[in-house]
Amino acid sequence: MDKIIIRGGNRLSGTVPVSGAKNAALTLLPCALLTDEPVTLRNLPRLADIDGFQHLLNQFGISTSIAGARPEDFGRVMTLQATRLTSTVAPYDLVRKMRASILVLGPLLARAGEATVSLPGGCAIGNRPIDLHLKALEAFGAKIELAAGYVRAIAPDGGLPGGDYSFPLVSVGATENALMAAVLARGTSTLHNAAREPEIVDLCNLLVAMGAEIEGIGSSDLTIHGVQRLHGATYMVMPDRIEAGSYACAAAITGGDITLAGARMEDMAATAQALRDAGVLVEAVRGGVRIASDGDLRPVTLSTAPYPGLATDMQAQLMAMLCLAGGSSVLTETIFENRYMHVPELNRMGAHIETKGRTAIVHGVRQLHGAEVMATDLRASMSLVIAGLAAEGESQVHRLYHLDRGYERLEEKFALLGADVERVGGD
Ligand code: EPZ
């Protein structure tokens, strides 16, 4: 398995291109199921999860073609076409590798009137139930059966009638599945307390470009008027606000000065505020966002929350940065029950972090020390890289496949910024 060797101490500087958003792409790809016409997605990031999703969609008879991207290009253009579906089953061996596969449930149900999807297991950060996905689809008129580790959803003959559902708690994926099911329903559907993440707005924008009728886009109250059919579209995936925030933390901890090309400040306002509170300069510049720090970081108190609150996907990266703050920071993780796996590894690098339930106290230290560390989940892995960039000496981050799921060619991007990083295969 690959690992990354990082020799810490370089101040990051220069410009880094922000890739298309993984968590937008993973909900835009299944929209191709909703029409028999071609859907073309531009600015798709080259990530393991995108490849996995493409393979899953091929299982249903969707043709996919990648337009000529040069090897040195970031991002790709993919055209998908579901002329007719040859299957409505998402098998265990594919779903277990990528939980986001559950996002085919709504569109398969909408297009074919039925779907059979393996229940996605939990993952390192929590048990990740899908009860809210199923309750929303039931509210829209679907019949749901659970058997042998699969969920089977069936629309009454003629298709989903549509309905109303109020989420008891905010769920990004459940909102996405419900939206993709409702756009072809026979009637009107409403969602209350829906997720408002920018990735949801991206999904709504693509669906509208395909002919869907959605009101309240960007708010937590959505109204979807079902239409008979949707047509193809060409759509640009939004920039990845979590990737941008991750590189911002790397610049901050190394006392660097970088520009995140393509980043949209409005998507990352909560992260920008957290960085500013820590004494980091964050400003919108032409074509992106500039991040600069003199390396003197202030402790802060942060709590993750659904958008527009601070993204849970930024917690580990901000924690790594705060390891070198001049004082103690308090972080509270309100979304997932087990999202502190990076803490023991950061402490092995000389950090001083105490956790108690959902709260972590990050006592700033003067120096981190390079070490061999193990990646456990996607964002935890990036936090170890961020720490390694500032640590004295050499760090090795093992199990890079976690990172490759969500960060496009990160060693090349960090090299663009002057970091001393090297990917080494086969350990
Ligand atoms: C999406 O996961 C993202 N993944 C996650 O990013 C992100 O952390 C999360 O949203 C929160 O922003 C993708 O978009 C592919 P949720 P999702 O449903 O949809 C509970 C990353 O690092 N819940 O908003 O699975 C759930 O357990 C990944 O890129 C239920 O109880 O998140 C969690 O505590 C990690 N029942 C909370 O809601 C349900 O049916 C929020 O989960 C669904 C969720």
Side-chain angles (χ1 to χ4, degrees), residues 47 243 246 317 378-379 382 403 405-409:
L47 297 171
E243 184 198 31
S246 303
Q317 302 90 300
L378 170 57
R379 307 304 175 182
M382 181 50 97
L403 275 166
R405 295 189 49 197
Y407 290 96
E408 182 176 17
R409 295 161 57 179

Side-chain angles (χ1 to χ4, degrees), residues 32-33 35 60-62 82-88 107-108 111-112 114:
L33 288 160
T35 176
F60 305 128
I62 288 198
T83 309
R84 59 182 194 80
L85 301 185
T86 56
S87 166
T88 60
L108 276 176
R111 171 76 183 273
E114 61 168 34

Side-chain angles (χ1 to χ4, degrees), residues 22-23 128-132 169 171-173 313 335 379:
K22 166 181 85 82
N23 289 348
R128 314 287 295 272
I130 60 162
D131 56 312
L132 301 179
L169 65 95
S171 164
V172 171
D313 293 350
I335 307 291
R379 307 304 175 182

Side-chain angles (χ1 to χ4, degrees), residues 22-24 26 99-100 103 125 127-134 169-174 176 197 241 312-313 334-337 339 378-379:
K22 166 181 85 82
N23 289 348
L26 290 173
R99 309 189 62 266
L103 295 174
I125 64 176
N127 74 7
R128 314 287 295 272
I130 60 162
D131 56 312
L132 301 179
H133 297 238
L134 306 183
L169 65 95
V170 174
S171 164
V172 171
E176 292 165 344
E197 271 68 4
R241 62 191 173 107
T312 172
D313 293 350
T334 69
I335 307 291
F336 290 110
E337 63 268 30
R339 203 163 196 179
L378 170 57
R379 307 304 175 182

Side-chain angles (χ1 to χ4, degrees), residues 75-416:
R76 290 183 302 183
V77 178
M78 186 185 292
T79 295
L80 306 98
Q81 186 158 12
T83 309
R84 59 182 194 80
L85 301 185
T86 56
S87 166
T88 60
V89 178
Y92 170 71
D93 69 317
L94 291 181
V95 175
R96 71 181 174 83
K97 290 176 199 143
M98 189 184 55
R99 309 189 62 266
S101 309
I102 193 63
L103 295 174
V104 302
L105 182 62
L108 276 176
L109 179 61
R111 171 76 183 273
E114 61 168 34
T116 305
V117 179
S118 170
L119 288 168
C123 74
I125 64 176
N127 74 7
R128 314 287 295 272
I130 60 162
D131 56 312
L132 301 179
H133 297 238
L134 306 183
K135 286 188 182 124
L137 296 179
E138 276 179 326
F140 290 176
K143 187 162 163 293
I144 302 286
E145 294 160 2
L146 294 177
Y150 280 76
V151 57
R152 182 158 164 68
I154 300 164
D157 52 5
L160 286 178
D164 305 313
Y165 185 65
S166 292
F167 287 100
L169 65 95
V170 174
S171 164
V172 171
T175 300
E176 292 165 344
N177 251 329
L179 271 165
M180 291 187 281
V183 291
L184 289 176
R186 291 203 304 272
T188 291
S189 305
T190 62
L191 290 172
H192 302 288
N193 198 27
R196 300 171 50 197
E197 271 68 4
E199 292 77 19
I200 304 270
V201 173
D202 228 29
L203 170 61
C204 290
N205 290 341
L206 170 60
L207 291 170
V208 166
M210 294 170 69
E213 292 177 18
I214 304 173
E215 293 163 19
I217 295 176
S219 81
S220 50
D221 294 298
L222 297 168
T223 300
I224 308 101
H225 302 289
V227 294
Q228 283 285 337
R229 64 183 302 278
L230 293 175
H231 50 73
T234 294
Y235 190 76
M236 174 80 80
V237 179
M238 66 173 276
D240 195 316
R241 62 191 173 107
I242 305 301
E243 184 198 31
S246 303
Y247 282 93
C249 292
I253 197 173
T254 59
D257 187 340
I258 69 171
T259 297
L260 303 162
R264 287 187 327 203
M265 180 69 94
E266 64 270 25
D267 295 340
M268 49 193 292
T271 294
Q273 191 54 54
L275 291 166
R276 290 190 184 110
D277 292 347
V280 180
L281 176 133
V282 184
E283 64 176 356
V285 295
R286 230 158 66 81
V289 174
R290 180 183 170 222
I291 306 289
S293 160
D294 58 7
D296 286 338
L297 298 169
R298 295 196 293 261
V300 292
T301 295
L302 299 173
S303 178
T304 62
Y307 191 87
L310 181 65
T312 172
D313 293 350
M314 279 302 308
Q315 178 256 110
Q317 302 90 300
L318 286 162
M319 182 187 284
M321 178 191 79
L322 293 167
C323 289
L324 292 184
S328 296
S329 301
V330 181
L331 277 70
T332 306
E333 171 55 65
T334 69
I335 307 291
F336 290 110
E337 63 268 30
N338 187 32
R339 203 163 196 179
Y340 285 141
M341 249 115 36
H342 41 290
V343 169
E345 295 298 274
L346 289 171
N347 283 338
R348 289 184 55 243
M349 297 177 76
H352 180 194
I353 307 166
E354 299 168 291
T355 57
K356 190 170 172 41
R358 299 274 187 131
T359 299
I361 315 280
V362 184
H363 303 287
V365 295
R366 295 188 57 73
Q367 179 71 51
L368 293 172
H369 309 288
E372 284 207 56
V373 288
M374 190 71 73
T376 51
D377 63 87
L378 170 57
R379 307 304 175 182
S381 318
M382 181 50 97
S383 81
L384 302 179
V385 172
I386 290 167
L389 290 168
E392 171 249 346
E394 179 180 288
S395 299
Q396 297 196 13
V397 181
H398 294 265
R399 294 190 181 171
L400 274 201
Y401 57 87
H402 287 296
L403 275 166
D404 291 339
R405 295 189 49 197
Y407 290 96
E408 182 176 17
R409 295 161 57 179
L410 86 158
E411 69 277 8
E412 290 174 53
K413 291 196 177 186
F414 275 124
L416 277 177

